[in-house]
Amino acid sequence: MELSLSNSSSFRFRRYDFVPRLHSFSGLGSFHTFSSNKSISVRRPLIWRQPRLLRIKAQTAIDGNSSDDFIIEDVPHLTYFLPDLPSYTNPLKRSQAYAIVKKTFVNPEDMVAKEIIVQKDSPRGIHFRRAGPREKVFFTPEEVRACIVTCGGLCPGINTVIREIVCGLKNMYGVDDVLGIQGGYSGFYSKNTLNLTTKVVNDIHKRGGTFLQTSRGGHDTKKIVDNIQDRGINQVYIIGGDGTQKGAAAIYKVIDKSFGFDTAVEEAQRAINAAHVEAESVENGVGIVKLMGRYSGFIAMLATLGNRDVDCCLIPESPFYLEGPGGLYEYVEQQLKENRHVLIVLAEGAGQEYVAQSMQAFQEKDASGNRLLLDVGLWLTQHIKDHFTNVRKMTINMKYIDPTYMIRAIPSNASDNIYCTLLAQSAVHGAMAGFTGFTVGPVNSRHAYIPINRVTETTNTVNITGRMWARLLASTNQPSFVHHCQTVREKVDKQTIDAINNMQINSI
């Protein structure tokens, strides 16, 4: 899940002059750079290629040579569109809570590097604007009418984000007018709104799900814009996953992690532990646990690494096969002979091409544009059962657990609650400082404002040639399937694979 924001100064425009950016956050300014061999600060102006490209370069003179390898992927600011917009002193300057902070405000020149590991002579690379409170804000409390909407599927922590946006606006900036849009994007024009106060949201973080209710799809831009205009809304906070962020998102290439992730991994342990107990309590017990992971297997991978009882983890990024040397059937039989039980964890998106070919079915998409997945858990359970019963003439005891909806619906744990608070407060600081069209998230453990198009351009996936996946293979001792996957893919109907790959590309 991600959190996005748009500032919309609708009170300054006629209805159809104003087209708000409903899906992101922003930034502007100049900054300091330091040469690799000097401690002298060299200041250069930021050069905008085009106001809306959100990509700028700083040219820094180093030993007389021009270098433009410091790239900032920036986000819009209200002053780009309203140059005469007045600014005000941030009320945090008078806040009792922030009085103890030695440096209350983020330096406007602070940037966060996308890549933290670099070589001596490598380019300095892409940077994002650091999130946090600014000394100047562009709204007075009485000017603000904010709204919050939750869209798409559930995950732990949504209610915490809602609560902290409301409390952050009120307690840090004195904003009283916050609306809750009920029922997702379509709620802008088909549902009633709630007046959100700190009292109303006081204990919602203890509940699972979303206090505002949700839905998929419903992104009718014209109706949403008309509703925002009619209601006089000038700050829009959008909470959701990949489908929501495309309308305005899992886990992506830039952001370190999404909120709810730690809770999901922690809660998955309960299902894995239950499946392990069931499997080891009977002869030839086979435990299978299906976890969330439509296009990426991070939850399955980290839940496996954190558990240490799992014998095999299957994820979308790593194709697997069932029959032949080094296949899953062979590995399961080996584990049953050695340990009398086996435990398998798989992400919901794993093996979809094989499932589709077996069922001769192609998935449609849901209202958010996500591919509707076939149930790989039931498919794998049946195939393993049939193989050992009919081919190997072995009796196995199959135990299948799908905890997906239980995990999605629980409240967030302490770690995610803290993370959600930081996300919400960073969003509020950015909105009040006049940034717009941005997603907020941690980049190399520092919160940054990221252009929304950067977040939705590609999905973050597990690197199956990287160290983390190697650690999992070492932990489980499972086959990697890598050496045989090409041969196996050639056996699968090419038309089936092409169709599924096309659907996946179109839905990202």
Side-chain angles (χ1 to χ4, degrees), residues 265-320:
V265 171
E266 181 180 300
E267 188 66 15
Q269 303 299 311
R270 299 178 186 272
I272 295 173
N273 290 338
H276 182 244
V277 170
E278 290 282 353
E280 70 174 354
S281 297
V282 295
E283 186 175 2
N284 290 336
V286 179
I288 296 180
V289 179
K290 185 182 77 172
L291 298 176
M292 295 176 288
R294 182 181 297 271
Y295 302 121
S296 59
F298 284 105
I299 291 177
M301 178 177 69
L302 293 186
T304 294
L305 280 170
N307 184 270
R308 303 294 177 177
D309 290 326
V310 178
D311 299 298
C312 185
C313 177
L314 305 175
I315 61 175
E317 298 88 335
S318 181
F320 66 92

Side-chain angles (χ1 to χ4, degrees), residues 155-269:
C155 86
I158 295 176
N159 283 332
T160 303
V161 176
I162 296 170
R163 181 188 190 277
E164 296 308 319
I165 292 173
V166 175
C167 293
L169 284 168
K170 172 62 178 176
N171 298 336
M172 292 189 294
Y173 292 97
V175 174
D176 291 312
D177 196 354
V178 184
L179 301 177
I181 306 298
Q182 295 179 288
Y185 279 132
S186 61
F188 276 103
Y189 50 85
S190 63
K191 297 281 186 180
N192 292 325
T193 60
L194 297 175
N195 290 318
L196 300 181
T197 66
T198 54
K199 184 176 181 180
V200 169
V201 302
N202 182 55
D203 63 350
I204 63 172
H205 62 291
K206 299 175 183 177
R207 313 179 203 171
T210 167
F211 170 73
L212 294 177
Q213 300 183 324
T214 186
S215 66
R216 294 191 183 276
H219 191 270
D220 187 317
T221 302
K222 184 180 183 302
K223 289 183 179 179
I224 292 173
V225 171
D226 285 348
N227 184 275
I228 290 173
Q229 178 76 23
D230 291 342
R231 294 181 183 274
I233 294 169
N234 51 29
Q235 290 184 11
V236 180
Y237 296 83
I238 304 165
I239 305 168
D242 51 340
T244 301
Q245 302 299 316
K246 290 169 194 171
I251 306 170
Y252 297 95
K253 290 284 185 184
V254 175
I255 295 176
D256 293 347
K257 68 173 183 177
S258 299
F259 69 81
F261 183 82
D262 288 348
T263 306
V265 171
E266 181 180 300
E267 188 66 15
Q269 303 299 311

